[in-house]
Amino acid sequence: VARGLVVGALVAVIGVLFTATGFAVANPLYLAAFALVITLLFSGFGIVGGLWADDWDNLTMMNQFIVRPLVFFGGVFYAVSDLPSPYYELSLLNPMVYMVNGVRHGFLGVSEVDPLRSLVVLSALTAAVLALDAYLFKRGYGLTD
């Protein structure tokens, strides 16, 4: 989580250096909340992946076949609200949509999904993944041969 927050802050600072028009954060509290929830969520998923994976190839496979498609279909490169039904509704099942819109709302003040709804959805998912982590540790899954 700490590494994710530091990397995110460094990327933001470097991004500021490349903006010619100036820089302002529209909603810093939302941005901080989303940064914390997103880093906790990905760290929780990382623990699940680490317990599940037998080798580094399995972790790469998770990135290639799960995370990357979710990013591409998460509204990073297009407006989700422009999608026709039922694709818009299906997009709302993708947690990346809520992450993108939450961070976009934090930086720009613009969001296609209600930011509070996004924060609630991501917080619930984070709680579920962290509960799964605790359960897997309690069972000893992936810790011993």
Side-chain angles (χ1 to χ4, degrees):
V1 172
R3 184 181 72 173
L5 292 172
V6 168
V7 169
L10 289 174
V11 168
V13 167
I14 291 170
V16 167
L17 298 175
F18 289 99
T19 58
T21 60
F23 180 77
V25 176
N27 297 300
L29 292 178
Y30 267 111
L31 184 59
F34 276 102
L36 182 62
V37 169
I38 291 169
T39 55
L40 279 168
L41 178 61
F42 274 107
S43 68
F45 277 132
I47 290 171
V48 171
L51 292 174
W52 168 76
D54 294 326
D55 57 18
W56 290 104
D57 292 333
N58 291 58
L59 291 175
T60 302
M61 185 177 67
M62 284 180 57
N63 184 35
Q64 295 292 336
F65 296 111
I66 297 172
V67 175
R68 187 162 295 160
L70 288 175
V71 169
F72 284 129
F73 292 114
V76 174
F77 304 110
Y78 60 90
V80 175
S81 60
D82 289 345
L83 294 174
S85 188
Y87 301 111
Y88 173 76
E89 291 80 13
L90 285 172
S91 292
L92 295 179
L93 298 175
N94 182 353
M96 208 59 75
V97 169
Y98 300 104
M99 292 179 206
V100 168
N101 278 286
V103 172
R104 189 176 288 153
H105 179 74
F107 273 115
L108 305 174
V110 176
S111 180
E112 298 175 303
V113 181
D114 177 38
L116 186 58
R117 175 182 174 192
S118 296
L119 194 56
V120 168
V121 167
L122 290 175
S123 296
L125 183 58
T126 300
V129 171
L130 294 178
L132 175 63
D133 289 345
Y135 172 75
L136 292 175
F137 275 120
K138 186 174 182 177
R139 277 199 48 220
Y141 178 82
L143 298 177
T144 59
D145 290 331

